[in-house]
Amino acid sequence: MMDKLKLGVFELTDCGGCALNILFLYEKLFDLLEFYEITEFHMATSLSEGNHYDVALVTGTVSTQRDLNLLKEARNHSEYLIALGTCATHGSVQGSVELPIREKLKAVYGDGGNPMRALDSKPVVEYVAVDFALPGCPYDKEEVYQVLMDIAKGIEPVRKDYPVCLECKLNEYECVLVKKGLPCLGPITYGGCKAVCVRSGLGCIGCRGPLPGEVNPASEYEILKGLGYDDEYIVRKFKTFARWEP
Amino acid sequence: MIIEMREFTRVEGNGKAEIVIEDGEVKDVRLQIIEGPRFFELLTLGRHYYDVPDIEARICAICYLSHSVASVIGIERAFGVEVPEEITLLRELGLIGEFLESHSLHLYLLVAPDVFGYPDAIRMATKHGELVKEGLALKAFGNRLRVIVGGREIHGINVKPGGFGRYPTVEELEEIERESEALLRLARRAVRLFAQLGPYGAKAKHFVATDGYLWGEKLISDEPGEFHYTERIEERSLVYSFAKQSLYKGEAFFVGALPRLLLKSEMLTPTAKRLFEEHREKLSTGYVSYNNLAQAIELVYSLEKANEIAKTLLDRGIEGENVPVEPREGEGIGYVEAPRGLLIHHYRTDASGNISYSNIITPTALNHAMIEASLLKEARELYGEVDEGRMIGRLEETVRAFDPCISCSVHLVKL
Ligand code: SF4
Ligand code: SF4
């Protein structure tokens, strides 16, 4: 039998969701384990035996010196590195606090300086080159399964390049922007989540990050203005998950 | 001399501990939460109330719904909004889903390997596959409830001030009724299994919980009287940890499954209450390691309660009406029992409904001092008695008993 690929999961600063989502694959996780051997995943195992990874999944933002060291280690020891989740690809929520780190620390912890070496939260893609970026807060678990299977079979995974809107159309969900006047970022957000929030009758909050290319944030801006939302509201809404762009 | 424990494994988030040795004795233990700070209170300042619960959900993936519900309740209290029973029952159903998802993740995938001597559940599965499967079945059902009520397995946005985006269907409620009954057998087995774990860690002197089983208007403790957190709980910053430490009247205290059982056993469902009585003597000693057993009993509680709620809602039918929410200047606190323990969201709002003050205290921060006290006690007992590897192994198990949720501990603020 062919040797299994070595898989490492590295968690920087985040909510744990993107790592947890791997465990939520349930029996599909066991399918993956036909091809992969997990050699680093500290949420799930006390073993840590890797010094070389065929695939490294990195979740979270770089928010401390420790995170940065860990990221570099993951990059230096892996063949194929995936920035997994919106924290890693766009900074997600913690990346959107715009104050300099010193002021943030002061507001939260008082005048203790920075003994633990906190950094301003930035996505993984700001520091190292990644082989694949899979956004989502969290990403859809079917997607990571597909990507890992593709890699195991020697196929380069494809990045989705359509907005959430398309998924609403495919699932025949009523457009909440047009029908209910709810603020929905679906038109300018990376699809791939099956428009699950619109399924609940709510507007997309943009958790998969902005879709680059031909889509036009300006027109979305105009629509929201038309619905009566003010500038600051719209700007903050746009930046909730993505102050940094990959 | 300092013995450094490497980063904890099989806990959620990044933390470690240092054991300070002086003159051949354990002098001190420092719990270091090294997960970077995420500044949630700053993040929500100035934001419109409607968007806030969805942002707060991102504090923690394992208990996202507890955060959204605590946030929603805090906001509703600030605005003076009251919701009908249907909405509270559904929120409870979601919180129960989270208990099931989180406790079974913790017990079966993170703790069980300690019981059987494996580094993880995947490797344990070769010999104890059935058990791992049972754990996954409970977890999957918990997640199913989180999807139905919360909108997604992780970070759903369905829970809103005043109600929900979408309400469950009759079919979904029937499914919940059926499944919760079918899974009860597994949960009872879990109680037998985790009753085998012995006493370790410190004995807690104080317990704190919400006055209702799953959420509350105020807090209760082992001392008489209901109170708001500001009356008895104080927070302080530490130079060695991104999590702040909380003290109850100046002392370490315990929040979580064990404190809930000890303070609120009369609110348990029938089988859960019986199991609690069966193990009461043991549990009442207050050893933190019995938190694992308490979680197993809560699996039983959760399934019985889910069944009860589904039945009630099927009998009365679901109206699916949201309550109108009118923003106003105000102040409100949401107290919720996250799987790991008490969760506090405290907000002030301005007249247009934007957040002007926010304070969030999470279970791990509340337990921070208690975790240190437990590590200190274990380290004192074991240092010099067993080799360092074994001591550290036991210390890690002690931390794990708290089921600490480290990512959620790192963003506490007093502005
Ligand atoms: S992207 Fe979202 S779900 Fe993933 S780790 Fe970050 S905050 Fe959590
Ligand atoms: S609909 Fe929008 S907010 Fe919801 S999961 Fe998809 S991208 Fe995220």
Side-chain angles (χ1 to χ4, degrees):
Chain A
M1 203 188 106
M2 212 183 73
D3 271 354
K4 288 187 183 179
L5 295 169
K6 294 203 184 312
L7 178 72
V9 181
F10 297 86
E11 245 191 285
L12 312 180
T13 291
D14 62 23
C15 82
C18 287
L20 187 69
N21 217 13
I22 297 169
L23 299 178
F24 284 1
L25 280 166
Y26 303 113
E27 55 293 345
K28 285 203 163 159
L29 178 61
F30 290 94
D31 294 346
L32 278 176
L33 292 174
E34 302 277 314
F35 297 91
Y36 289 92
E37 179 192 357
I38 297 180
T39 52
E40 167 70 45
F41 187 177
H42 92 199
M43 182 195 274
T45 176
S46 295
L47 282 186
S48 173
E49 52 197 18
N51 49 16
H52 174 86
Y53 306 92
D54 294 293
V55 181
L57 301 173
V58 185
T59 76
T61 54
V62 175
S63 302
T64 59
Q65 188 58 42
R66 171 222 169 251
D67 291 341
L68 187 54
N69 298 344
L70 190 65
L71 172 62
K72 288 193 174 147
E73 196 185 301
R75 179 66 281 184
N76 289 339
H77 293 103
S78 63
E79 297 294 326
Y80 198 95
L81 187 141
I82 301 177
L84 187 61
T86 305
C87 284
T89 60
H90 297 79
S92 197
V93 287
Q94 68 266 24
S96 73
V97 190
E98 295 199 30
L99 291 173
I101 185 67
R102 275 188 179 283
E103 283 174 43
K104 284 188 276 200
L105 284 171
K106 196 164 169 200
V108 174
Y109 301 96
D111 285 315
N114 189 359
M116 305 264 295
R117 305 223 273 162
L119 308 171
D120 197 16
S121 298
K122 288 185 195 173
V124 160
V125 295
E126 285 282 309
Y127 285 102
V128 298
V130 305
D131 300 293
F132 196 74
L134 178 56
C137 181
Y139 56 88
D140 186 271
K141 61 186 180 179
E142 304 293 325
E143 237 184 315
V144 80
Y145 175 80
Q146 196 52 53
V147 166
L148 287 173
M149 278 301 191
D150 283 351
I151 294 171
K153 293 178 181 151
I155 307 167
E156 181 60 27
V158 259
R159 192 163 175 172
K160 306 245 164 64
D161 60 352
Y162 50 81
V164 171
C165 282
L166 184 74
E167 308 207 300
C168 284
K169 303 227 160 63
L170 288 174
N171 287 291
E172 298 181 7
Y173 295 147
E174 184 173 81
C175 177
V176 293
L177 189 64
V178 173
K179 290 267 168 62
K180 289 193 186 169
L182 285 177
C184 179
L185 301 188
I188 55 165
T189 299
Y190 263 120
C193 59
K194 311 187 183 84
V196 58
C197 299
V198 186
R199 172 176 178 265
S200 288
L202 297 163
C204 167
I205 61 175
C207 84
R208 292 175 59 91
L211 181 66
E214 73 276 24
V215 273
N216 187 357
S219 74
E220 171 81 12
Y221 184 87
E222 287 311 318
I223 297 173
L224 294 180
K225 286 246 6 170
L227 289 171
Y229 295 97
D230 66 41
D231 282 345
E232 202 196 321
Y233 180 82
I234 300 171
V235 169
R236 293 189 83 165
K237 189 128 188 140
F238 275 18
K239 284 190 184 174
T240 305
F241 293 96
R243 177 155 70 104
W244 310 91
E245 279 191 33
Chain B
M1 180 177 85
I2 288 181
I3 302 178
E4 268 208 56
M5 283 175 75
R6 65 178 179 138
E7 291 184 21
F8 305 136
T9 58
R10 285 186 277 136
V11 298
E12 193 273 322
N14 303 312
K16 58 181 190 177
E18 284 180 353
I19 305 150
V20 185
I21 313 281
E22 265 174 35
D23 306 323
E25 275 180 37
V26 179
K27 182 82 193 310
D28 201 6
V29 170
R30 298 186 204 120
L31 172 70
Q32 301 184 300
I33 301 298
I34 52 170
E35 177 97 22
R38 295 174 68 219
F39 304 111
F40 270 85
E41 290 90 343
L42 299 178
L43 202 55
T44 46
L45 275 189
R47 300 267 331 209
H48 192 247
Y49 80 90
Y50 186 80
D51 295 339
V52 169
D54 306 334
I55 298 175
E56 307 283 30
R58 264 81 191 172
I59 292 174
C60 174
I62 302 188
C63 50
Y64 90 85
L65 203 77
S66 305
H67 281 285
S68 347
V69 173
S71 176
V72 159
I73 294 177
I75 290 165
E76 285 173 354
R77 294 225 168 104
F79 297 161
V81 171
E82 300 233 5
V83 297
E85 202 191 1
E86 173 176 305
I87 291 174
T88 40
L89 285 176
L90 285 171
R91 285 178 187 163
E92 286 186 7
L93 203 54
L95 294 174
I96 284 166
E98 205 142 273
F99 270 34
L100 287 166
E101 169 271 334
S102 178
H103 286 356
S104 52
L105 168 77
H106 178 67
L107 291 171
Y108 290 86
L109 300 185
L110 311 182
V111 180
D114 287 335
V115 180
F116 295 100
Y118 289 88
D120 57 54
I122 296 167
R123 282 154 184 101
M124 189 179 91
T126 45
K127 259 238 170 95
H128 302 277
E130 268 317 296
L131 191 74
V132 174
K133 268 201 205 132
E134 290 183 13
L136 291 179
L138 287 166
K139 194 166 141 56
F141 179 59
N143 264 343
R144 180 78 184 119
L145 289 176
R146 298 212 295 181
V147 173
I148 293 174
V149 178
R152 269 209 286 182
E153 281 188 339
I154 299 175
H155 303 338
I157 66 176
N158 195 40
V159 179
K160 290 284 176 196
F164 297 92
R166 167 191 177 276
Y167 285 76
T169 60
V170 169
E171 290 71 37
E172 284 168 336
L173 291 172
E174 283 170 352
E175 172 194 338
I176 295 168
E177 191 190 6
R178 226 176 23 245
E179 277 286 294
S180 54
E181 214 165 277
L183 289 169
L184 198 56
R185 195 174 46 87
L186 309 188
R188 293 168 62 157
R189 194 144 62 219
V191 176
R192 275 207 300 283
L193 175 66
F194 292 99
Q196 292 171 27
L197 284 167
Y200 47 84
K203 278 184 180 187
K205 220 169 109 198
H206 292 295
F207 303 101
V208 175
T210 59
D211 58 359
Y213 202 85
L214 292 163
W215 56 281
E217 312 259 324
K218 280 198 160 191
L219 300 180
I220 51 172
S221 73
D222 45 287
E223 298 178 309
E226 295 173 347
F227 60 97
H228 275 303
Y229 80 98
T230 43
E231 295 164 49
R232 297 188 194 173
I233 292 173
E234 246 182 282
E235 285 184 282
R236 63 174 186 209
S237 295
L238 302 167
V239 289
Y240 57 83
S241 178
F242 282 124
K244 283 188 191 172
Q245 195 169 73
S246 304
L247 297 172
Y248 172 87
K249 295 181 162 178
E251 292 186 284
F253 65 107
F254 192 12
V255 299
L258 182 62
R260 280 194 289 262
L261 288 192
L262 293 173
L263 296 176
K264 301 188 275 200
S265 65
E266 77 286 354
M267 297 179 208
L268 291 172
T269 48
T271 319
K273 200 187 271 169
R274 237 194 32 247
L275 289 165
F276 170 74
E277 291 304 338
E278 202 178 296
H279 298 282
R280 182 198 274 270
E281 217 176 300
K282 210 178 196 180
L283 295 166
S284 308
T285 57
Y287 280 108
V288 298
S289 63
Y290 291 140
N291 199 43
N292 292 314
L293 173 57
Q295 288 176 313
I297 296 176
E298 282 195 334
L299 289 177
V300 173
Y301 163 82
S302 304
L303 292 169
E304 284 187 304
K305 189 82 185 166
N307 191 268
E308 190 187 301
I309 294 177
K311 279 202 171 86
T312 311
L313 291 171
L314 282 167
D315 281 351
R316 348 181 328 178
I318 290 227
E319 310 234 338
E321 292 269 331
N322 284 356
V323 176
V325 174
E326 291 297 331
R328 68 172 195 210
E329 206 180 314
E331 176 165 4
I333 307 178
Y335 295 116
V336 163
E337 291 284 357
R340 296 165 174 75
L342 172 64
L343 189 60
I344 303 167
H345 280 230
H346 183 182
Y347 304 108
R348 273 183 223 125
T349 50
D350 67 17
S352 33
N354 296 325
I355 303 294
S356 58
Y357 165 92
S358 137
N359 188 31
I360 295 165
I361 313 184
T362 62
T364 303
L366 297 167
N367 277 333
H368 195 290
M370 196 63 220
I371 300 178
E372 284 189 340
S374 294
L375 288 173
L376 186 62
K377 186 197 148 254
E378 284 294 316
R380 284 200 167 136
E381 256 173 49
L382 297 174
Y383 182 67
E385 294 296 315
V386 299
D387 67 60
E388 210 174 285
R390 286 226 1 233
M391 174 176 83
I392 288 182
R394 174 42 63 99
L395 293 181
E396 224 187 272
E397 286 171 29
T398 308
V399 172
R400 215 172 278 136
F402 287 89
D403 191 7
C405 178
I406 290 177
S407 357
C408 73
S409 65
V410 289
H411 33 70
L412 318 169
V413 73
K414 276 258 159 54
L415 287 174

